[in-house]
C-alpha cells in the first residue's frame, strides 16, 4: 500500500519540463584579494553563481611561518645546549589574534555570497606535534572568523594522507578530531571536505607549506609515490572523518573529479554520500577537435546521475583561469570601471600607439570566451540533461524521506492516502490482467461457481475507494464472463464513497458491505436449498444463509509484502472462500533483502533518536535514493535475496490448528514462542538467515526490503506478477510506483573490509496481538577454504514496540 506524500513533497505534472539547476562556482588558488562586490557582479555577468575566497591573507601566512621558524630556532638552540632535558622544551606558541591585514573578509552583503576556502598550506594530520598543533590553531581561527562574518559554506582541504595501513599513521584520526572541533566552533557553518574521488591530487602549489617544517615526516608520505592506487582509500578516509564527527548533518564532501573515471562501484559509493560540491580542474576536461574543453562520456553520465540527487551538488571550476576582466589585476587592485576620479598620470597615447597596444595585448591575453569556455560547456550540459523517468517524476520530494509504515487495521485511512496509490496505473493494470485470466480460465475449464445465477463471485476485501471493484467489472466486460461483485470495507468513510460509486458509476450491481473482512460471513443468500459448490446441506443441518466466494481479490501488500498484515487478514477471511476451486489474488508473495550504505538515512534517524526512543528500531518506508548496494552478485549469493514466502489460500488443516490454539485452549498446547501469545498465529512467523558477498569494503547502515507477488498463476496466459526489486521490477511491473522499499536501520553502522561476507538474520515475530520484525547483521572474513572469522555483529533491531497491531 502506498504511503501518504510528505508535507514538503514537490508536486509534478505530466507536462513537467524538468531542467536541473547547475549552481556553478569559480575557485582560484591565487585570487586577487579582497573579492569585491564588483568582482562578484562581474562573475555573475559571465554566468558564475558564486566565488571562493581565502579566509586569511598572505600576510597572515607569513606571520604564522615566522612564528614556526622562531620556535624551531629556539628548540634547536635548547637541544644543542648543555643540560638539555625534555622538560626544558618550551610549549607550542599561540598564534596572536587576526589583524585587519590578515584577512580579506568583513561582514556584509558580499561575504554572504562567498564560499570560504581554508588555508591549504596547513597540515592537520602531521606527525609533528608542533605542525599539527599550529595547523589546528589556524583552522580554528579561520572558522571562527568566517562564522563571525556570516560565511555560510566553508571548504577545508582534505588530509595529506588517506591511508591507515601503516603502523605509525595516526594522522587521519588527528585530522578527523580537528574537523570535529571546527564543527563546534562554527555552529551554523556548512563544512565541505575537499577530497579526490580516488588517489591523490597532483600538481598543487606547495609554496610556504608546513610539510618541510615537520621534523619527523610520516612513513606514508615517503612511500606514497611507489604505492599502488587503492580506489576506496579516499572513501575510507572520509568514512573515518564523518564517523568521528558522528554523521554531523553540516559535514559534507567537495568531491574532486579525476580525469579518468573509476569503476562503477566507486561512483555508486560516492553517490550515497552527502555531496555538497563537485570540483573540476583543467585536468578533468578533454579537448575536442576545436580545442574546446569537454567532458568524456563517462563524466557526463556521472554528472547526470549525481545531479539527480535530492540535494543537487554545486559545481566548482578550479583554477580554469581568472574571471574575464580581472585577469591582469594585481593583488588587491580590483577596481570598478566607474572609479575614474584619478586623472593624474602619463599623457594619453596617440591613435597609432593605442592600436599597437591593443595588438600587443591581444597576443598575450585570452579572449573572454576562452576564459569562460569551461563554464559555457557546463551550461551546455545543463540544457541537455536527459529527461526524468516516470518514477523520478512521481518521487520528486519523496527521495530518502522516512515514513512509518501504515497501520491499515487500526487506522482509517484518509481519502488523499487512497488517492496516492490509485494514481499507479501499472499495479491496477496487472490486477485487471490477473482477474481477466482467472475469469477466462474459469469459463474455459467450466468450473462451478458459488452464485445461484452461475456468475463467478468476486469479493474485493479491503475495497478502499473502489479501484479494484472497477477493474473487476471491466474484466467481466472484457471476457464476457458474468460476475457477482462484493466490496467489503471496514473504513466507514470509504464505505460512504463506495455506495456513491455504486449508485453513480457501477450501475448498482455491486454489493457493498461495511465490515472488517475477518468478521465478514460471506455473501448473504437465501437459506433455501444448496448454493453451488459452497454449501453442503443435509436434512439435519439447515442451509447456511451465507454463500462462498470464488475469487478473493485484495491489495493488502506492504513494502515488505507482509508488513501490513496481509497474511493475517487473508487467513481471517479465508472462511468465505470456496474450498475446492476458490482462488486468491494475489496467490503468493515473497520478501527480499539486501544490505545498503545509507549515511543520510542514518544521520536522519540518529537525529530523531534524541526525541524518539523507537527511532532506531522502526522499519521505515522510504524511496531509497542516495544509497549504495553493498553486496555483489555471485553464484548462489545474489545481491537481492529472498527471505520468505506466503501462499494463499492456506490448507484447511493449518487454519484448524490455529483456531484450536486461539484463546489458550488445552488442544492448542502450551502457547506460542513469544511471551503472551497463545500460538494461534504461529504459522505466520518466519525466520531467515542470508549470506551476502561484498567485494569492496563498506559500512552497513541497514537493510533494504522489497517484495515480489504472484497475482495469478494458471492457464495459458502465464504468471501475472508485481515486483519492487530493482533487478526485476522492469520485467514484471515496469514504472510501478505504489510501493517504496522498506528500510530496517542499524543503530550503529557496521564496518567491514574488502572481500567480506555479511550474514543477515531476520525474524517475523507475533504474540497474537501484533506482528513485528527483529534483525541483526554479522560480518565475516574468509580465513580458509571453509573457515570464516567473525569481525563484528550489529545490535539486534526490534520493532516490537511499534509493531503492526492485529
Amino acid at each position: 500500500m502506498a504511503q501518504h506524500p510528505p508535507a514538503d513533497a514537490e508536486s509534478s505534472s505530466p507536462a513537467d519540463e524538468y531542467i536541473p539547476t547547475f549552481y556553478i562556482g569559480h575557485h582560484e588558488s591565487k585570487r586577487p584579494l579582497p573579492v569585491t562586490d564588483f568582482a562578484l557582479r562581474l562573475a555573475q555577468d559571465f554566468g558564475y553563481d558564486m566565488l571562493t575566497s581565502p579566509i586569511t591573507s598572505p600576510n597572515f601566512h607569513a606571520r604564522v611561518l615566522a612564528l614556526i621558524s622562531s620556535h624551531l630556532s629556539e628548540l634547536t638552540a635548547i637541544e644543542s645546549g648543555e643540560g638539555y632535558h625534555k622538560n626544558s622544551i618550551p610549549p607550542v606558541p599561540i598564534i596572536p589574534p587576526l589583524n585587519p591585514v590578515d584577512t580579506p573578509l568583513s561582514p556584509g552583503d558580499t561575504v554572504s555570497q562567498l564560499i570560504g576556502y581554508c588555508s591549504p598550506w596547513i597540515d592537520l594530520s602531521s606527525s609533528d606535534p608542533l605542525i599539527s598543533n599550529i595547523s589546528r590553531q589556524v583552522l580554528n581561527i579561520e572558522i571562527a572568523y568566517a562564522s563571525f562574518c556570516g560565511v555560510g559554506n566553508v571548504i577545508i582541504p582534505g588530509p595529506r594522507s588517506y591511508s591507515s595501513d601503516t603502523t605509525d599513521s595516526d594522522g587521519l584520526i588527528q585530522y578527523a578530531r580537528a574537523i570535529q572541533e571546527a564543527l563546534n566552533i562554527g555552529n551554523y557553518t556548512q563544512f565541505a571536505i575537499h577530497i579526490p574521488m580516488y588517489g591523490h591530487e597532483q600538481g598543487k602549489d606547495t609554496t610556504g607549506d608546513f610539510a618541510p617544517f615537520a621534523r619527523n615526516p610520516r612513513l606514508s608520505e615517503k612511500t606514497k609515490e611507489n604505492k599502488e592506487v587503492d580506489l576506496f582509500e579516499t572513501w575510507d578516509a572520509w568514512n573515518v572523518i564523518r564517523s568521528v564527527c558522528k554523521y554531523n548533518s553540516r559535514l559534507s564532501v567537495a568531491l574532486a573529479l579525476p580525469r579518468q573515471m573509476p569503476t562503477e562501484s566507486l561512483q555508486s559509493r560516492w553517490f550515497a554520500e552527502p555531496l555538497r560540491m563537485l570540483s573540476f580542474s583543467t585536468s578533468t576536461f578533454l579537448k575536442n577537435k576545436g580545442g574546446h574543453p569537454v567532458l568524456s562520456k563517462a563524466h557526463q553520465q556521472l554528472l547526470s546521475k549525481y545531479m539527480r540527487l535530492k540535494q543537487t551538488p554545486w559545481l566548482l571550476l578550479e583554477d580554469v583561469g581568472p574571471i574575464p576582466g580581472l585577469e591582469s589585476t594585481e593583488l588587491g587592485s580590483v577596481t570598478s570601471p566607474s572609479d575614474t576620479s584619478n586623472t593624474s598620470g602619463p599623457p594619453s597615447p596617440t591613435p597609432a600607439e593605442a592600436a599597437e597596444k591593443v595588438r600587443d595585448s591581444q597576443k598575450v591575453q585570452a579572449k573572454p570566451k576562452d576564459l569562460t569556455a569551461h563554464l559555457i560547456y557546463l551550461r551546455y550540459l545543463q540544457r541537455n540533461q536527459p529527461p526524468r523517468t516516470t518514477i523520478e517524476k512521481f518521487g520528486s520530494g519523496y527521495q530518502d524521506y522516512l515514513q512509518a509504515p501504515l497501520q491499515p487495521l487500526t487506522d482509517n485511512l484518509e481519502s488523499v492516502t487512497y488517492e496516492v496509490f490509485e494514481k499507479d496505473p501499472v499495479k491496477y493494470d496487472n490486477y485487471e490482467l490477473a482477474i481477466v485470466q482467472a475469469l477466462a480460465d474459469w469459463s474455459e475449464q467450466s468450473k462451478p461457481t458459488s452464485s445461484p445465477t452461475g456468475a463467478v463471485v468476486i469479493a474485493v476485501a479491503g475495497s478502499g475507494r473502489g479501484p479494484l471493484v472497477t477493474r473487476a467489472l471491466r474484466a467481466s466486460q472484457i471476457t464476457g464472463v458474468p460476475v457477482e461483485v462484493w466490496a467489503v470495507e471496514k473504513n466507514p468513510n470509504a464505505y460512504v464513497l463506495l455506495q456513491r460509486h455504486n449508485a453513480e458509476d457501477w450501475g448498482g450491481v455491486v454489493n457493498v458491505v461495511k465490515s472488517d473482512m475477518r468478521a465478514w460471513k460471506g455473501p448473504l443468500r437465501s437459506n433455501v436449498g444448496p448454493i453451488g459448490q459452497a454449501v453442503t446441506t443435509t436434512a439435519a443441518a439447515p442451509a447456511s444463509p451465507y454463500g462462498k466466494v470464488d475469487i478473493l481479490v485484495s491489495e493488502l501488500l506492504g513494502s515488505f509484502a507482509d508488513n501490513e498484515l496481509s497474511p493475517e487478514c487473508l487467513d481471517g477471511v479465508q472462511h468465505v472462500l470456496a474450498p475446492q476451486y476458490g482462488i486468491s489474488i494475489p496467490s503468493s508473495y515473497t520478501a527480499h533483502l539486501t544490505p545498503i550504505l545509507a549515511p543520510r538515512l542514518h544521520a536522519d534517524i540518529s537525529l530523531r533518536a534524541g526525541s524518539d526512543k523507537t527511532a532506531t528500531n522502526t522499519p521505515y518506508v522510504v524511496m531509497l535514493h542516495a544509497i549504495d548496494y553493498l553486496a555483489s552478485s555471485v553464484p548462489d549469493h545474489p545481491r537481492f535475496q529472498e527471505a520468505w514466502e506466503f501462499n494463499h489460500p492456506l490448507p484447511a488443516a493449518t487454519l484448524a490448528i490455529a483456531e484450536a490454539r486461539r484463546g489458550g485452549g488445552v488442544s492448542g498446547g502450551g502457547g506460542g514462542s513469544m511471551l503472551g501469545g497463545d500460538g494461534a498465529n504461529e504459522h505466520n512467523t518466519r525466520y531467515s538467515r542470508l549470506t551476502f558477498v561484498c567485494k569492496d569494503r563498506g559500512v552497513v547502515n541497514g537493510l533494504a526490503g522489497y517484495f515480489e507477488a504472484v497475482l495469478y498463476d494458471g492457464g495459458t496466459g502465464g504468471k501475472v506478477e508485481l515486483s519492487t526489486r530493482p533487478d526485476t521490477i522492469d520485467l514484471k511491473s515496469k514504472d510501478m510506483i505504489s510501493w517504496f522499499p522498506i528500510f530496517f536501520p542499524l543503530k550503529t553502522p557496521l564496518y567491514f573490509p574488502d572481500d567480506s561476507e555479511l550474514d543477515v538474520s531476520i525474524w517475523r515475530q507475533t504474540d497474537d496481538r501484533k506482528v513485528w520484525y527483529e534483525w541483526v547483521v554479522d560480518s565475516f572474513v574468509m580465513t580458509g577454504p571453509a573457515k570464516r572469522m567473525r569481525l563484528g555483529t550489529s545490535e539486534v533491531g526490534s520493532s516490537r514496540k511499534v509493531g503492526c497491531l492485529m
Side-chain angles (χ1 to χ4, degrees), residues 479-519:
T479 59
V481 177
V483 296
E484 178 187 313
V485 179
W486 292 76
V488 183
E489 176 57 49
K490 73 171 182 64
N491 187 338
N493 307 305
Y495 174 65
V496 175
L497 189 59
L498 287 172
Q499 294 177 90
R500 180 166 292 139
H501 280 317
N502 195 28
E504 298 177 358
D505 304 319
W506 300 329
V509 300
V510 177
N511 302 282
V512 181
V513 179
K514 183 194 176 300
S515 173
D516 186 314
M517 68 181 72
R518 296 169 295 178

Side-chain angles (χ1 to χ4, degrees), residues 366-434:
K367 297 179 181 178
K369 186 174 181 180
D370 295 331
L371 292 175
T372 59
H374 301 83
L375 172 64
I376 292 171
Y377 177 71
L378 289 183
R379 293 298 183 197
Y380 164 79
L381 291 181
Q382 177 183 359
R383 293 190 301 271
N384 290 275
Q385 287 299 292
R388 293 188 296 179
T389 65
T390 301
I391 293 179
E392 285 176 335
K393 290 178 182 178
F394 175 80
S396 179
Y398 288 71
Q399 300 99 321
D400 298 324
Y401 183 92
L402 296 167
Q403 304 175 76
L406 297 175
Q407 292 266 13
L409 288 187
T410 56
D411 300 333
N412 288 321
L413 304 181
E414 301 293 337
S415 179
V416 66
T417 304
Y418 290 116
E419 183 180 356
V420 169
F421 53 80
E422 286 174 13
K423 290 180 178 178
D424 186 354
V426 177
K427 176 178 71 173
Y428 292 107
D429 286 348
N430 283 25
Y431 263 97
E432 181 179 311
L433 179 60

Side-chain angles (χ1 to χ4, degrees), residues 106-119:
S106 60
D109 294 337
T110 300
V111 77
S112 64
Q113 303 175 55
L114 298 176
I115 299 174
Y117 202 96
C118 292
S119 295

Side-chain angles (χ1 to χ4, degrees), residues 430-759:
N430 283 25
Y431 263 97
E432 181 179 311
L433 179 60
I435 300 173
V436 165
Q437 290 192 16
L439 290 177
D441 290 343
W442 205 286
S443 176
E444 183 180 333
Q445 297 167 16
S446 301
K447 293 191 290 186
T449 71
S450 298
S451 170
T453 64
V456 177
V457 181
I458 299 177
V460 179
S463 302
R465 303 198 314 176
L468 285 180
V469 176
T470 300
R471 296 294 182 139
L473 294 173
R474 188 180 300 171
S476 175
Q477 294 174 350
I478 293 172
T479 59
V481 177
V483 296
E484 178 187 313
V485 179
W486 292 76
V488 183
E489 176 57 49
K490 73 171 182 64
N491 187 338
N493 307 305
Y495 174 65
V496 175
L497 189 59
L498 287 172
Q499 294 177 90
R500 180 166 292 139
H501 280 317
N502 195 28
E504 298 177 358
D505 304 319
W506 300 329
V509 300
V510 177
N511 302 282
V512 181
V513 179
K514 183 194 176 300
S515 173
D516 186 314
M517 68 181 72
R518 296 169 295 178
W520 184 46
K521 296 180 180 180
L524 183 61
R525 302 294 188 197
S526 168
N527 60 357
V528 179
I531 304 174
Q533 59 150 331
V535 178
T536 301
T537 61
T538 65
S544 168
Y546 298 99
K548 296 293 183 180
V549 170
D550 298 318
I551 301 177
L552 183 66
V553 183
S554 63
E555 51 174 331
L556 305 170
L557 297 174
S559 296
F560 201 47
D562 54 82
N563 61 297
E564 292 182 10
L565 304 191
S566 177
E568 286 73 18
C569 291
L570 294 182
D571 286 356
V573 75
Q574 185 174 318
H575 65 275
V576 307
L577 196 61
Q580 186 174 356
Y581 295 109
I583 64 171
S584 171
I585 295 178
S587 61
S588 66
Y589 36 87
T590 51
H592 303 256
L593 286 170
T594 191
I596 61 171
L597 169 77
R600 291 179 182 271
L601 297 183
H602 176 78
D604 191 358
I605 293 170
S606 298
L607 190 63
R608 295 186 181 199
S611 57
D612 179 5
K613 293 182 179 180
T614 64
T616 57
N617 286 307
T618 298
Y620 295 94
V621 171
V622 56
M623 183 181 182
L624 298 174
H625 186 59
I627 66 161
D628 185 29
Y629 296 112
L630 298 171
S632 305
S633 288
V634 298
D636 299 325
H637 298 289
R639 169 173 284 178
F640 303 95
Q641 297 184 31
E642 180 182 319
W644 50 64
E645 181 178 17
F646 287 90
N647 292 274
H648 300 285
L650 285 177
T654 302
L655 291 181
I657 293 173
E659 190 59 34
R661 293 174 173 178
R662 199 174 308 281
V666 175
S667 61
S673 60
M674 290 289 109
L675 177 66
D678 54 27
N681 197 38
E682 200 75 14
H683 62 285
N684 283 325
T685 61
R686 295 289 189 274
Y687 166 69
S688 181
R689 185 172 179 89
L690 309 171
T691 298
F692 296 89
V693 177
C694 302
K695 175 180 176 291
D696 302 310
R697 75 199 75 168
V699 170
V700 187
N701 293 123
L703 308 171
Y706 306 89
F707 79 87
E708 291 189 329
V710 177
L711 296 180
Y712 182 71
D713 182 13
T716 58
K719 289 184 180 180
V720 181
E721 299 179 85
L722 300 175
S723 175
T724 63
R725 273 181 47 155
D727 59 335
T728 60
I729 186 173
D730 285 351
L731 178 65
K732 298 180 178 181
S733 47
K734 182 176 173 58
D735 293 333
M736 186 175 66
I737 56 178
S738 281
W739 291 275
F740 294 154
I742 199 166
F743 177 64
F744 297 94
L746 297 188
K747 183 177 181 180
T748 303
L750 181 66
Y751 180 86
F752 59 90
D754 294 337
D755 299 317
S756 298
E757 290 186 350
L758 298 176
D759 279 10

Side-chain angles (χ1 to χ4, degrees), residues 192-215:
I193 308 300
H194 199 182
I195 50 181
M197 180 174 269
Y198 68 90
H200 294 267
E201 295 179 280
Q202 303 293 330
K204 295 292 183 181
D205 185 1
T206 57
T207 304
D209 194 88
F210 275 8
F213 291 92
R215 289 171 294 173

